Amino acid sequence: MSIASRFFEISCTILAIGAGLAVSSFCGSTSLRNPSSVGENISIDAAVSQTRRPAATELPDSVSQTLDSAQIPAFSGPRQTDLFPEVPLVDHTGTERFFRSELAAGKVLCFAMFYTRCKGTCPGTVTKMLRLRRSLTQEFGRENLHFVCLTLDPLHDQADVLERYADTLGVNNDPELAPIYFCTGLPENVDAVRRSLGMYDPDPVVDADISQHAAKFVLGNDRLNRWTGMPAALPFEDLHETALRIAGNSDRQRFSARLAIDGRTRP
């Protein structure tokens, strides 16, 4: 599967808000908007250090202890999830789950599009998601975190196909990790979900070719109303760090990964 060049021409940006980072713009003609976001756009720093970077979960105590671990107050007001469609999807176990209320509301959500017959970037995207599942569960806990992979090929990728796919990956073998759902549904419901997350191409011809879809993650924390999009091709450490900077519930979560990577011991 090739990646539409237009998706990489529109870089993911992050808006500065308060002391952290807020909402990024998405591909195509729509974006997630935070009504309270202010500040200037800055591009995601995708540069990789030439020196060996520590694993994302190797955060020295001397770093974490200098940062406030108090939970940041929840966002008050209309949230981006209010605009998500309340449509039923079916996960790989055959269970029906409504997207907005069951999968997104009140959760930290990591979302990606894929399809099982993909021979291009999908396997790499799913592999990155499984690594994030392990590292982010340690940060947020399994009860507060959802991972959703939604098929672009719902007519073929029925629940039984997704179940075999999930079994091949062994995603159900560790009850300590946050749940991951490989989802399908009626084509119109799949389309409504992906469009609400900006996962489409404005050219209808390109958009209709599933082999041209973007390899990216949409990640957010509904509690804080903070959302972003990021290319799945970024190094894992950058994905993990960006996830914490956007979805972190405390200053410790938001900044400790960056400080550890920078080799610093205090802000």
Side-chain angles (χ1 to χ4, degrees), residues 198-217:
M199 303 283 276
Y200 70 95
D201 194 287
D203 184 334
V205 175
V206 174
D207 189 61
D209 182 356
I210 62 175
S211 71
Q212 297 296 311
H213 84 89
K216 66 178 292 186
F217 296 114

Side-chain angles (χ1 to χ4, degrees), residues 18-233:
L21 296 181
V23 184
S24 77
S25 59
F26 290 125
C27 311
S29 60
T30 64
S31 66
L32 296 185
R33 295 180 177 86
N34 182 338
S36 67
S37 62
V38 294
E40 62 181 10
N41 290 339
I42 57 173
S43 61
I44 294 177
D45 179 12
V48 180
S49 171
Q50 297 302 312
T51 61
R52 180 183 179 277
R53 301 174 65 173
T57 54
E58 294 176 357
L59 304 179
D61 290 340
S62 59
V63 174
S64 299
Q65 290 173 0
T66 63
L67 298 169
D68 189 352
S69 60
Q71 192 170 69
I72 297 169
F75 179 83
S76 177
R79 298 183 181 180
Q80 186 61 41
T81 51
D82 296 339
L83 303 178
F84 290 175
E86 182 69 329
V87 295
L89 302 175
V90 179
D91 71 19
H92 60 279
T93 70
T95 304
E96 183 179 84
R97 301 183 186 276
F98 282 85
F99 178 66
R100 182 175 69 229
S101 62
E102 295 185 58
L103 296 178
K107 302 293 183 181
V108 173
L109 175 67
C110 184
F111 178 93
M113 302 295 304
F114 86 115
Y115 60 106
T116 61
R117 294 188 287 186
C118 172
K119 304 300 182 183
T121 61
C122 291
T125 298
V126 174
T127 297
K128 288 277 185 68
M129 178 173 277
L130 294 179
R131 292 188 65 190
L132 286 170
R133 182 191 182 207
R134 182 168 296 279
S135 68
L136 294 181
T137 297
Q138 296 179 25
E139 290 286 345
F140 296 106
R142 70 179 309 277
E143 301 299 325
N144 303 310
L145 182 63
H146 281 167
F147 292 85
V148 176
C149 288
L150 181 61
T151 181
L152 284 159
D153 190 11
L155 297 181
H156 175 268
D157 289 345
Q158 298 294 307
D160 59 330
V161 175
L162 296 179
E163 183 179 27
R164 291 193 296 271
Y165 188 87
D167 286 343
T168 299
L169 296 172
V171 300
N172 298 317
N173 294 341
D174 193 338
E176 299 301 316
L177 296 179
I180 184 169
Y181 305 102
F182 293 90
C183 291
T184 187
L186 295 176
E188 57 267 31
N189 291 344
V190 170
D191 192 61
V193 170
R194 71 181 181 90
R195 287 181 177 276
S196 74
L197 293 171
M199 303 283 276
Y200 70 95
D201 194 287
D203 184 334
V205 175
V206 174
D207 189 61
D209 182 356
I210 62 175
S211 71
Q212 297 296 311
H213 84 89
K216 66 178 292 186
F217 296 114
V218 172
L219 182 134
N221 185 337
D222 177 51
R223 177 180 167 274
L224 299 176
N225 198 35
R226 291 160 63 92
W227 294 85
T228 193
M230 47 190 179

